[in-house]
Amino acid sequence: MPSMVSAASASSPSPRRLASQPPLHSPAANILLFLVAFRLLNALAVRTFFQPDEFFQSLEPAWQIAFGKDQGAWLTWEWHNQLRSSLHPLFFAAIYKAADVLATTFRLSAATRADLLIAAPKSAQAVIAAIGDFYTWKMATRVYGCDSRGAWTTLFATVLNPWQWFCSTRTLSNCVETTVTIVALDQWPWQWSTGARIVRSRTNKAGDKGATDSSRSLLSSLRRCLCLAALACILRPTNILIWLTLATVAWLRSGWSQRTALLREIFFCGSIILGASTIADRLFYGFWTFPPLRFLYFNIAQSLAVFYGRNDWHYYLSQGYPLLLTTLLPFALVGLFRTLNTRTFSAADHLQTAIRLQLATICLVMPLVLSLISHKEVRFIYPLLPALHILAAPPLVQFFYPAVYSRSSSASTPQRLVLIFLILANLVIGLYTSLYHGSGVINVLTYLRGQHEAHGVSAGSSTTLRPNPGITAGFLMPCHSTPWRSHLVFPSINAWALSCEPPIDQTPAQKAIYRDEADQFYDDPSHFLREKMKGGLRYTPSRPSYQAGYHSAIDTKAGETWTHEWPDYLVFFQHLEPTMHTLLRASSYAECWRTYNTAWHDDWRRRGDVVVWCLDPVEQDAWRVQKHNHAQAARDRHFDQIIHVFQRDARRQQQQGLKALVPSSSSFSFLWSSQTPRFSTFPAWRRAVQSYFSPRPSWRQSLQSLFAPRQVSVWPWNRRSRSFWERFWTPKPGMWGLTPSSLLDWFRRRQESESQDDREMWN
């Protein structure tokens, strides 16, 4: 490929200009340690629910692998139909086993062991996320230069991105896919896309030791890249779109020596990863199967993905990229446009420009192809986020660098304000989504674990402790609204939830009318509870199952089919509360716990708090007392605020002294002045009390009141309103030769003369 030498475009700063700054002297090891610590804090701070796949595609099968099939793990239909690779759960199964061994070694309590088992997968995923952030920075140094402004800006954008804070430490296969993809991209032989002859032919001199070492190093890097790329494709088959794009560019721009090496290494590395995955799946499923092929068959051939929702064709443009980038969206779009619009570049920037062009290409190709599928989710394009961070760096540097380092305080003030606003917006979004939005469905499992610990052991005698079977819980929620055994932990917590199995191997006509169990419940809750619950609505238990000596006496009629038993704890969303009050008003169920979940939700079935009803009257009474105490405390706080207002006003009156009791001679100056007089609150109260004992005013006094200001309300927080006369006319001094004081004097003299005439007439 002929080299193109020209000046870079003036509208886009070149990578060399981004690198033209003094080195910041921060070793890579320190950056990695910082990112690991940061993501560990991130993982432990996330307390909200995002996607069911976070638990049901990784932690639930991992729990079964680690602890056995009798430990209560919930395997969804995808695992029963071999749609998922077992490599991802195997990793977390090893984490579970290590955490369990640690708990056994140190003889931790049951509650501490449960907390450790919940935190262990989060911590492992935090390390994976930190590695992804680190290699995003390394990739930026390859593009913009080591210790460059562009590389550091990419790192800051990665750390401050609220989507990264919200999603990167979750145990989704997409999160592992993102990390594996960016590490593989860092190992990809980008030189081949520029036409450089890195792999030497046999006609070259054998004594060229440097070229041979470079060739071996490049081949080793290529093998690592292809192994990681194959692993990413095993985890998420759609990841192949990235590597097909890069391989096509390398094939078209390289020579036959590179093409031969590429084909050979693809076959070699792909066979190794594919063989390891096949053996792992054979051990997990018990028979030979190929999950990637079955994944494509079920989701494309049978269109089962559509069962979980359809999206508009422009979803990734209108919602996907905005969710991934949030406040970085305009800078990423500008960087993407400038990169794709690059026509000329210098010889020194040849490789860096080629890398940026290919990153921009995959950021367009992958969403474009995935838009052809009806079911879309933002996490499907999550592997593109590191590339988008890299492309957004030049516009960020160009816009904010003068504001950060410029000595001029006035010229760069708008940029500084925008930067502060964007950082604060990212912090607010990240904290809200990771601490509050969707937190109730996580907290309710913590509550159930606490109830299990409270009722799980009962005294059998003075010398022995006999464990009870455990509590039971039922979730009347849309399917997979909460985590399962990975957060319930204890296998003795017997729980059930509404399912949503898709219509597998059914005709299009059957799929059109198919309703899963959750849909059936929300279509008609009354009918569902009568037909699917043991005993229906007529026979509900009166006491919880964990109480000693109690056994349910509910009998079913001959031929009656039921799916679930009435549990000790019923869990549902606040939206369903009026319906449950109507249907279970004659039962022993009553509210015993409630927690905040969301302020809004796109699914109407998941709106409001998470509510728990139970059968235990002791817990019900304790919850009523707690609610009463909470309401009383709220009233006390409100009353204290009112008292504080009165005390503050009283202190103000004391500071004013006797002036508050004596009217000023300029009390009526508001009639010709724009300033509003301040009236004391205490004299206003005194005049209000005196008004009850004053005679009814005459018409003359009423006329005089038009010129007098209205009294201040007795409440200190109310402001004085204008009198009737002030609303229409404010007289000025000298108007018609009259002033407000002269008018009042005239009324006073007129009243005195009339009183004198009356006395003379009666005398």
Side-chain angles (χ1 to χ4, degrees):
M1 177 180 178
S3 61
M4 303 174 62
V5 181
S6 62
S9 176
S11 61
S12 176
S14 68
R16 290 295 175 184
R17 286 207 298 269
L18 291 175
S20 60
Q21 67 167 8
L24 299 181
H25 304 293
S26 293
N30 292 343
I31 295 177
L32 180 59
L33 291 177
F34 162 75
L35 290 173
V36 170
F38 178 75
R39 289 304 173 195
L40 283 173
L41 175 64
N42 183 182
L44 298 178
V46 173
R47 303 175 183 177
T48 55
F49 183 89
F50 173 43
Q51 282 283 347
D53 292 352
E54 178 183 354
F55 310 101
F56 293 94
Q57 288 187 9
S58 57
L59 298 187
E60 290 302 311
W63 189 277
Q64 178 170 304
I65 296 173
F67 303 113
K69 295 183 178 180
D70 59 342
Q71 296 300 302
W74 184 354
L75 296 188
T76 59
W77 67 275
E78 296 164 306
W79 297 101
H80 294 297
N81 290 275
Q82 305 87 45
L83 267 69
R84 301 294 177 186
S85 172
S86 60
L87 292 180
H88 191 214
L90 280 173
F91 170 75
F92 289 110
I95 299 298
Y96 275 137
K97 290 296 292 185
D100 187 56
V101 170
L102 188 65
T104 304
T105 302
F106 290 95
R107 298 180 180 180
L108 301 179
S109 64
T112 306
R113 175 182 177 272
D115 294 336
L116 178 62
L117 290 176
I118 293 173
K122 294 182 179 180
S123 302
Q125 181 59 41
V127 176
I128 295 175
I131 294 174
D133 295 340
F134 177 74
Y135 273 90
T136 301
W137 171 75
K138 282 195 64 178
M139 189 67 191
T141 60
R142 180 188 290 266
V143 175
Y144 302 121
C146 186
D147 288 333
S148 63
R149 298 170 187 168
W152 286 106
T153 302
T154 302
L155 180 62
F156 294 149
T158 303
V159 171
L160 294 176
N161 190 329
W163 176 268
Q164 281 287 87
W165 177 271
F166 173 70
C167 187
S168 65
T169 59
R170 298 182 183 272
T171 54
L172 290 163
S173 60
N174 309 89
C175 300
V176 180
E177 176 196 9
T178 301
T179 296
V180 172
T181 300
I182 188 58
V183 176
L185 287 175
D186 183 69
Q187 303 295 320
W188 178 254
W190 299 100
Q191 296 89 335
W192 289 2
S193 61
T194 63
R197 297 294 190 268
I198 302 299
V199 179
R200 302 292 180 180
S201 62
R202 295 182 179 179
T203 59
N204 291 339
K205 295 181 179 181
D208 194 356
K209 184 177 180 180
T212 303
D213 293 341
S214 176
S215 176
R216 291 177 179 176
S217 175
L218 186 62
L219 286 177
S220 299
S221 177
L222 176 62
R223 288 167 182 167
R224 291 192 296 269
C225 171
L226 293 178
C227 288
L228 292 171
L231 177 60
C233 294
I234 291 294
L235 294 176
R236 300 288 305 178
T238 54
N239 193 266
I240 198 174
L241 296 173
I242 295 176
W243 302 107
L244 280 178
T245 303
L246 296 179
T248 301
V249 174
W251 180 274
L252 295 176
R253 294 188 176 183
S254 60
W256 281 107
S257 58
Q258 288 94 341
R259 295 174 183 175
T260 303
L262 182 62
L263 290 177
R264 182 183 68 247
E265 299 303 329
I266 288 176
F267 177 79
F268 176 72
C269 298
S271 299
I272 293 177
I273 300 300
L274 187 61
S277 175
T278 303
I279 294 174
D281 294 334
R282 172 65 176 82
L283 296 175
F284 178 77
Y285 290 110
F287 52 88
W288 296 105
T289 184
F290 189 55
L293 183 60
R294 294 187 62 83
F295 175 86
L296 296 176
Y297 169 73
F298 275 86
N299 286 279
I300 297 178
Q302 291 199 19
S303 299
L304 291 182
V306 180
F307 178 74
Y308 296 101
R310 294 176 179 267
N311 302 91
D312 297 327
W313 63 269
H314 53 78
Y315 172 83
Y316 291 115
L317 178 62
S318 60
Q319 300 181 47
Y321 274 176
L323 287 173
L324 281 180
L325 296 164
T326 55
T327 56
L328 290 176
L329 178 63
F331 303 99
L333 293 180
V334 171
L336 193 64
F337 173 78
R338 289 179 177 177
T339 301
L340 294 174
N341 201 37
T342 301
R343 293 293 180 267
T344 58
F345 46 85
S346 63
D349 296 338
H350 192 189
L351 178 60
Q352 288 82 358
T353 304
I355 296 175
R356 294 169 61 198
L357 279 171
Q358 293 178 71
L359 292 178
T361 302
I362 63 176
C363 289
L364 292 181
V365 171
M366 189 174 187
L368 181 63
V369 176
L370 293 180
S371 296
L372 302 177
I373 303 175
S374 299
H375 180 67
K376 306 175 182 67
E377 293 185 35
V378 60
R379 58 192 179 96
F380 294 169
I381 60 171
Y382 188 18
L384 302 179
L385 185 57
L388 292 170
H389 283 156
I390 295 172
L391 296 176
L396 283 170
V397 171
Q398 183 181 10
F399 187 79
F400 289 116
Y401 183 79
V404 176
Y405 294 98
S406 176
R407 296 181 179 180
S408 176
S409 59
S410 59
S412 302
T413 299
Q415 288 91 332
R416 292 193 182 99
L417 294 177
V418 171
L419 179 60
I420 294 173
F421 170 77
L422 294 182
I423 293 176
L424 292 178
N426 287 348
L427 292 177
V428 171
I429 295 173
L431 293 178
Y432 173 74
T433 55
S434 60
L435 295 177
Y436 299 103
H437 186 73
S439 60
V441 293
I442 304 294
N443 296 334
V444 69
L445 301 183
T446 304
Y447 167 77
L448 291 177
R449 289 200 311 273
Q451 296 305 112
H452 174 269
E453 295 170 9
H455 304 296
V457 177
S458 62
S461 64
S462 59
T463 59
T464 62
L465 290 178
R466 177 175 57 85
N468 275 333
I471 65 173
T472 59
F475 293 80
L476 293 175
M477 296 176 164
C479 66
H480 309 319
S481 292
T482 67
W484 203 246
R485 197 58 57 184
S486 61
H487 280 64
L488 289 173
V489 179
F490 302 107
S492 53
I493 298 180
N494 301 308
W496 56 263
L498 302 178
S499 63
C500 54
E501 305 296 326
I504 301 175
D505 297 329
Q506 294 189 11
T507 63
Q510 292 174 331
K511 292 179 181 179
I513 61 174
Y514 177 79
R515 306 293 290 173
D516 60 39
E517 187 180 33
D519 292 334
Q520 295 174 21
F521 170 74
Y522 281 96
D523 289 342
D524 191 348
S526 176
H527 179 268
F528 183 91
L529 295 180
R530 284 197 305 268
E531 300 296 330
K532 301 297 182 180
M533 300 299 295
K534 183 179 180 180
L537 292 174
R538 288 180 174 270
Y539 305 101
T540 57
S542 58
R543 296 170 58 187
S545 62
Y546 53 77
Q547 289 188 355
Y550 175 74
H551 300 281
S552 176
I554 300 176
D555 296 327
T556 57
K557 299 178 181 179
E560 183 180 1
T561 59
W562 51 271
T563 308
H564 307 292
E565 293 186 1
W566 287 104
D568 302 330
Y569 297 88
L570 273 176
V571 186
F572 50 88
F573 287 109
Q574 184 180 356
H575 169 79
L576 199 63
E577 195 170 11
T579 303
M580 300 301 292
H581 274 295
T582 302
L583 297 178
L584 298 178
R585 61 182 180 274
S587 68
S588 299
Y589 283 104
E591 182 179 328
C592 59
W593 195 73
R594 176 189 295 263
T595 185
Y596 170 83
N597 187 55
T598 59
W600 54 272
H601 204 286
D602 55 350
D603 188 350
W604 60 271
R605 301 174 300 177
R606 290 183 167 94
R607 292 175 183 171
D609 300 339
V610 174
V611 185
V612 179
W613 283 12
C614 64
L615 293 170
D616 195 336
V618 177
E619 294 183 24
Q620 296 171 5
D621 294 339
W623 177 247
R624 293 190 190 98
V625 172
Q626 182 178 348
K627 289 176 60 178
H628 174 75
N629 294 338
H630 180 74
Q632 183 64 36
R635 288 193 296 267
D636 292 343
R637 288 193 300 269
H638 184 64
F639 182 76
D640 292 340
Q641 293 175 357
I642 296 176
I643 295 300
H644 176 71
V645 172
F646 282 107
Q647 290 176 347
R648 184 178 56 187
D649 186 73
R651 287 192 297 268
R652 187 184 301 113
Q653 296 298 332
Q654 292 176 0
Q655 293 175 359
Q656 292 179 357
L658 295 177
K659 293 182 180 180
L661 301 177
V662 180
S664 175
S665 58
S666 59
S667 299
F668 302 99
S669 61
F670 73 95
L671 292 173
W672 57 85
S673 174
S674 60
Q675 297 181 354
T676 303
R678 294 186 177 181
F679 291 89
S680 171
T681 304
F682 178 75
W685 292 346
R686 178 170 54 82
R687 287 191 293 270
V689 174
Q690 291 177 352
S691 64
Y692 287 101
F693 305 97
S694 301
R696 187 173 183 178
S698 62
W699 66 272
R700 297 184 182 88
Q701 295 174 345
S702 300
L703 184 60
Q704 292 178 10
S705 65
L706 294 176
F707 296 91
R710 297 181 62 182
Q711 303 298 333
V712 181
S713 176
V714 297
W715 299 107
W717 49 78
N718 288 344
R719 302 179 64 180
R720 187 187 70 83
S721 58
R722 293 184 300 173
S723 64
F724 176 80
W725 182 259
E726 290 178 271
R727 297 177 186 176
F728 299 95
W729 176 62
T730 302
K732 299 179 180 179
M735 182 180 293
W736 302 320
L738 299 175
T739 61
S741 58
S742 62
L743 288 174
L744 293 176
D745 293 340
W746 180 81
F747 277 113
R748 190 181 303 108
R749 291 194 300 270
R750 179 65 180 271
Q751 186 177 7
E752 292 176 356
S753 62
E754 290 181 354
S755 300
Q756 183 67 23
D757 294 341
D758 292 340
R759 286 195 296 270
E760 292 178 355
M761 181 181 65
W762 288 105
N763 290 334

